[in-house]
Amino acid sequence: MTDIQSLLGDEAEYLLAHRCETIPQDTIHVPGGDYVDRVVSQSDRKPGVLRGLQTLIDHGRLGGTGYLSILPVDQGVEHSGGASFAPNPMFFDPENIIQLAMAGGCNAVASTLGVLGSVGRRYAHKIPFLVKINHNELLTHPNIFDQTLFASVEQAFDMGAVAVGATIYFGAPESRRQIMEISEAFHRAHELGMVTVLWAYLRNNAFKKDGVDYHESADLTGQANHLAVTIEADIVKQKQATCNGGYKAVGFGKTHPKVYEDLTSDHPIDLVRYQVANCYMGRIGMINSGGPSGQDDLHQAVRTAVINKRAGGMGLISGRKAFQKPMDEGVKLLNAIQDVYLSDQVTIA
């Protein structure tokens, strides 16, 4: 098992001993092996959706814990094939993406229609597929904050996928159209018994103010989460909050003083707890993204996982930190993330 305390270094006590005094843990619907029975079965989701979500929860090293470790590799479209795979060209081949997810003990692999479809008949029954149905491709110049449908829910269903995923750029001029598109797509997915996962991202240059990037503020990302669960995402993927006060800095929209005085603090776990609260107090699971690949990936991945778990989140979806490394190093990083969720020393704050 990973030595979590050593990897956290000077932050170990700060992160592992923190007690959340803002939104108490007993008000949060925390993940667990009984999560579908205890929480999701109260919803309007069809039996097929419950089965699909249980399939995700039961797969991989975290099987039965209620937590998720997902490998996402849609960056070939979102960034470019070269930017994503030049550091490790073996991952131009979709089969190696699936092999990494399986070797890494992931609950699921998330990628494009093309990537998963190219090896679907060989692997769809071996690891749950999550098909990302829309993308922002960066060959259009100048770049726009928009997401285009690259696939239909029916194509994902015919492939044998358990889930569909999509991104909405909340705050962007095109977001209203994206909301309508993805709301309709998620409704169709639920009709077919598929799980829905929303990348609930913010995109607006106005959200950067005085050198601070409020795209990762707890209050603005919390509202993005609240919009995501409104269109019945079953799982919300969100960037982990690193700051707060986006509403006040931007000077737009509505908030309340208690958000900053009572419901959050400067502690990273409390900031992420507010993100979880906006997912109907955990009735909808929130997974955090692993962030870009860098020089300190193992430490950063474990730190992100600890904050997510202690805040009441459902897991991590980490891609570049894993697939831009040799296969054995990628597996080691994925396993380190999973070790956080397997550890009884990392508890809900």
Side-chain angles (χ1 to χ4, degrees), residues 17 31 63 66 116 145 169 174 209 250 259 275 286 294 321 324 333-334 342 347-348:
L116 297 176
F145 295 148
Y169 283 154
E174 298 84 2
K209 193 77 177 287
V250 174
V259 171
Q275 292 181 317
M286 187 194 75
K321 287 186 187 317
Q324 290 187 338
L333 184 135
L334 292 169
L342 291 170
T347 58
I348 306 297

Side-chain angles (χ1 to χ4, degrees), residues 70-73 97-98 101 106-111 116 127-131:
I70 300 174
L71 177 71
V73 189
I97 293 172
I98 310 299
C106 293
N107 298 74
V109 57
S111 196
L116 297 176
I127 183 171
F129 280 8
L130 194 174
V131 178

Side-chain angles (χ1 to χ4, degrees), residues 153-154 182-194 196:
V153 172
E154 283 78 7
I182 303 309
S183 179
E184 291 177 2
F186 280 8
H187 174 67
R188 179 57 178 150
H190 282 160
E191 285 183 328
L192 295 172
M194 302 181 76
T196 58

